[in-house]
Amino acid sequence: MSAQNRKPLKWVGSAKRDLDAMPDAVKDTFGHAIDVAQAGGKHEDAKVLTGFGAAGVLEVIEDHRGDTYRAVYTVKFAGWVYVLHCFQKKSKHGIKTPQVDIDLIRARLRAAKQDFEAWQVEQGARR
């Protein structure tokens, strides 16, 4: 996919700041995964985040020095990639995403949907 065909990227809430605060190796992995999504592909480590319907919400998990980090993004809005949440998983028990993070992802997904719908209206007004 050429640079002009790449999907534009939007960061929701504090996702960009949160990613920037992560270790460089984690930022590299997540940055690459987001880059692949912008090019229309799916990173080899990206998995569908359960509880969000179809395959539109994905997460990438990276372990670094005993800590687990996650980046969650959606490609469910045609032509866009929205990064919803980047965080360090605090719980040491199991692999399940904590409910507080699921709730935040759900709220940010709603915000992304509103943003996308507003963009569509704006595009329609320009025609």
Side-chain angles (χ1 to χ4, degrees):
M1 180 177 269
S2 70
Q4 65 199 43
N5 292 333
R6 291 175 59 76
K7 296 177 182 180
L9 179 67
K10 287 224 177 167
W11 299 88
V12 183
S14 63
K16 177 75 166 99
R17 280 191 314 276
D18 297 338
L19 176 65
D20 286 344
M22 292 180 178
D24 286 343
V26 175
K27 287 193 281 193
D28 288 347
T29 299
F30 291 167
H32 179 64
I34 293 164
D35 186 58
V36 169
Q38 284 184 273
K42 182 174 172 259
H43 188 272
E44 61 189 20
D45 294 332
K47 294 180 176 56
V48 173
L49 184 60
T50 56
F52 289 89
V57 178
L58 302 157
E59 78 172 334
V60 178
I61 301 170
E62 181 71 12
D63 291 319
H64 180 75
R65 296 187 177 169
D67 292 319
T68 300
Y69 298 87
R70 295 181 181 202
V72 179
Y73 61 94
T74 185
V75 293
K76 109 189 259 176
F77 305 113
W80 289 87
V81 176
Y82 284 86
V83 181
L84 302 173
H85 191 28
C86 296
F87 63 104
Q88 179 180 351
K89 186 173 176 287
K90 302 290 187 194
S91 170
K92 301 296 181 191
H93 309 298
I95 60 170
K96 186 175 180 192
T97 303
Q99 189 61 46
V100 66
D101 291 302
I102 293 291
D103 292 344
L104 183 60
I105 293 164
R106 206 172 298 287
R108 288 183 177 177
L109 184 60
R110 281 192 301 273
K113 182 176 190 267
Q114 289 173 338
D115 179 82
F116 179 73
E117 289 171 349
W119 176 81
Q120 285 182 307
V121 167
E122 183 181 302
Q123 295 306 303
R126 290 184 180 175
R127 292 190 177 129

